[in-house]
């Protein structure tokens, strides 16, 4: 079964966001979900309206044994100061290869892989670097387009996958 929409390339503007950084394995993913709730609560208490859907920004991809390095984030209209836990940062502007995963997040890995394969076939270079054996992404995002509070069935969720492309002048 195919869970991914037709990929495309789009230009996105630099966008401010608030987030919380975490390192967690897949077996510890409950901690990541808790941070999403904490971030939403933090924004609500301060009267800050989100300027887009909650997302995960992945810096380092992990698995069940190795920790993912990521941020749970929410776009905001303008830069806002965080605190000791909430960071204030920017989604990089530039060209992104994008697709929408449709269905349960358990099948997301297949869509992520398909998007990478499509980008390679199109000869698009993803913006990432290596530090020794560690692959570090400069712009790898999963945006949760479906709110679980209004659609509790994860089989009906939509998750926007976006990978920043390496700029021509950065190659």
């Amino acid at each position: 079964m195919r869970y991914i929409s037709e990929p495309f390339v789009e230009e996105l503007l630099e966008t401010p966001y608030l987030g919380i950084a975490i390192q967690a394995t897949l077996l510890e993913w409950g901690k990541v979900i808790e941070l999403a709730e904490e971030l939403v609560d933090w924004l609500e208490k301060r009267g800050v309206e989100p300027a887009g859907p909650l997302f995960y920004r992945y810096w380092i991809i992990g698995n069940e044994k190795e920790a993912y390095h990521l941020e749970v984030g929410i776009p905001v209209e303008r830069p806002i100061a965080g605190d000791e836990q909430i960071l204030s940062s920017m989604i990089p502007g530039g060209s992104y290869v994008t697709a929408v995963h449709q269905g349960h997040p358990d099948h997301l890995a297949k869509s992520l892989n398909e998007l990478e394969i499509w980008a390679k076939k199109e000869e698009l270079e993803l913006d990432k670097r290596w530090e020794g054996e560690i692959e570090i992404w400069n712009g790898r995002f999963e945006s949760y387009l479906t709110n679980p509070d209004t659609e509790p069935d994860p089989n009906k969720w939509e998750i926007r996958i976006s990978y920043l492309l390496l700029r021509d002048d950065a190659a």
Side-chain angles (χ1 to χ4, degrees):
M1 182 172 188
R2 186 173 169 93
Y3 295 96
I4 190 172
S5 69
E6 187 64 34
F8 59 95
V9 175
E10 66 179 336
E11 288 294 318
L12 297 176
L13 298 174
E14 183 177 63
T15 305
Y17 73 90
L18 294 169
I20 303 173
I22 186 171
Q23 295 179 21
T25 67
L26 284 176
L27 299 176
E28 303 168 317
W29 210 253
K31 295 179 188 177
V32 176
I33 293 167
E34 288 174 14
L35 289 183
E37 295 167 7
E38 193 173 316
L39 182 58
V40 169
D41 289 345
W42 191 93
L43 290 170
E44 286 176 357
K45 286 178 184 171
R46 287 156 182 80
V48 177
E49 286 292 320
L54 181 124
F55 64 83
Y56 296 154
R57 180 180 190 172
Y58 294 94
W59 292 96
I60 298 173
I61 303 301
N63 54 41
E64 291 177 350
K65 294 180 183 173
E66 298 291 324
Y68 285 80
H69 296 229
L70 71 144
E71 295 166 7
V72 177
I74 296 179
V76 290
E77 289 294 326
R78 58 180 172 69
I80 297 171
D83 59 24
E84 61 280 346
Q85 184 180 16
I86 306 295
L87 60 92
S88 178
S89 191
M90 299 295 277
I91 296 170
S95 297
Y96 284 79
V97 59
T98 299
V100 176
H101 169 82
Q102 298 159 326
H104 200 290
D106 286 352
H107 304 290
L108 186 58
K110 184 175 183 197
S111 293
L112 295 166
N113 187 50
E114 282 188 43
L115 186 56
E116 282 192 62
I117 290 168
W118 184 86
K120 188 172 189 170
K121 186 180 80 174
E122 296 293 318
E123 299 180 357
L124 300 170
E125 192 171 350
L126 304 177
D127 192 348
K128 55 185 175 178
R129 65 189 189 281
W130 291 87
E131 291 184 9
E133 297 290 315
I134 301 171
E135 180 183 51
I136 302 170
W137 291 78
N138 292 320
R140 181 176 173 139
F141 296 87
E142 292 171 12
S143 300
Y144 286 74
L145 304 178
T146 306
N147 182 341
D149 293 337
T150 57
E151 178 50 73
D153 182 357
N155 293 302
K156 296 179 180 176
W157 290 0
E158 290 189 334
I159 303 166
R160 185 173 185 266
I161 308 163
S162 301
Y163 298 152
L164 180 63
L165 296 174
L166 191 63
R167 291 191 336 243
D168 290 334
D169 62 342

